[in-house]
Amino acid sequence: MDPGRPVIRLSILHFSAKAGVDVSWKQAVSYSLGDWYVFAVLSIPVIWLARHFQFETGKRAKALAAHFFGGLAFSLAYMVFRAFIGRWQSPVSFAEAFLPLLVKTWHFNLLVFWVIVAVSFAFDYYSKYRDRELRAAELEKNLVQARLQTLQMQLNPHFLFNSLHSISALMHQNVRPPTA
């Protein structure tokens, strides 16, 4: 590959070329999809964990412990799943696929775990914020309706009094005696 050519390369192609290993586009895409599909599958229990163990007052130690062990389990599960997928992608033993993953991806997997937790928290807090805004708007609407009803209750007796007064004033003017 000519390094001067402006070619978009996947990170696997880039690092493989630096190491002198020839990797095809198909292999690079296959490896990348294998990585990200494992992260996608493992994000489901991480989101469940994040929703059930939030950092609330009085529960922070329990949540921190749950997320600490959850992160360790996430990283280990990623490496195990990825090693099994790696066995399908190339003819290597489980140990040959697992050990490089242990060295290269342990910390990155923990980072991905915490990013998923943070994004889950952000979505939850945004949802709570929108619910509070909706409740505030609903309360404001109810307050305006209550003020309108109060004003109507003040106006209705005056309207009735003015109407009756007008009728009585008209009765005293131009009153004709009844004809028999």
Side-chain angles (χ1 to χ4, degrees):
M1 250 183 160
D2 179 18
R5 285 179 43 197
V7 177
I8 299 173
R9 297 184 283 179
L10 296 171
S11 63
I12 293 173
L13 287 174
H14 179 74
F15 292 120
S16 297
K18 281 187 171 186
V21 178
D22 191 28
V23 177
S24 70
W25 274 97
K26 182 179 177 183
Q27 287 174 319
V29 169
S30 171
Y31 292 152
S32 293
L33 288 178
D35 289 339
W36 294 109
Y37 282 149
V38 171
F39 282 134
V41 168
L42 290 177
S43 69
I44 295 168
V46 172
I47 292 170
W48 179 89
L49 185 74
R51 288 194 175 155
H52 286 82
F53 293 96
Q54 295 190 356
F55 292 99
E56 298 171 345
T57 305
K59 298 181 181 179
R60 289 191 177 126
K62 183 178 177 182
L64 186 61
H67 289 294
F68 175 77
F69 289 113
L72 297 178
F74 175 85
S75 188
L76 183 64
Y78 170 82
M79 292 182 295
V80 168
F81 287 147
R82 194 61 187 98
F84 278 117
I85 292 171
R87 288 183 59 204
W88 290 333
Q89 292 172 335
S90 61
V92 294
S93 70
F94 179 81
E96 290 173 330
F98 182 80
L99 290 177
L101 288 170
L102 180 63
V103 173
K104 293 178 184 178
T105 66
W106 177 260
H107 295 96
F108 180 73
N109 298 341
L110 291 175
L111 175 68
V112 170
F113 171 83
W114 285 106
V115 166
I116 294 169
V117 168
V119 168
S120 176
F121 283 164
F123 275 113
D124 287 344
Y125 286 126
Y126 178 71
S127 175
K128 289 176 184 176
Y129 169 77
R130 285 189 60 218
D131 289 343
R132 281 193 299 262
E133 289 291 320
L134 185 62
R135 276 185 287 193
E138 188 72 29
L139 287 173
E140 190 171 333
K141 182 183 117 187
N142 290 342
L143 178 63
V144 168
Q145 286 178 344
R147 286 181 178 170
L148 180 62
Q149 286 177 350
T150 302
L151 184 61
Q152 284 177 340
M153 288 172 42
Q154 290 174 355
L155 289 178
N156 285 342
H158 290 290
F159 175 75
L160 181 62
F161 174 77
N162 289 340
S163 299
L164 290 175
H165 181 69
S166 297
I167 292 171
S168 99
L170 286 175
M171 284 184 61
H172 292 297
Q173 295 176 355
N174 301 327
V175 177
R176 295 185 196 149
T179 55

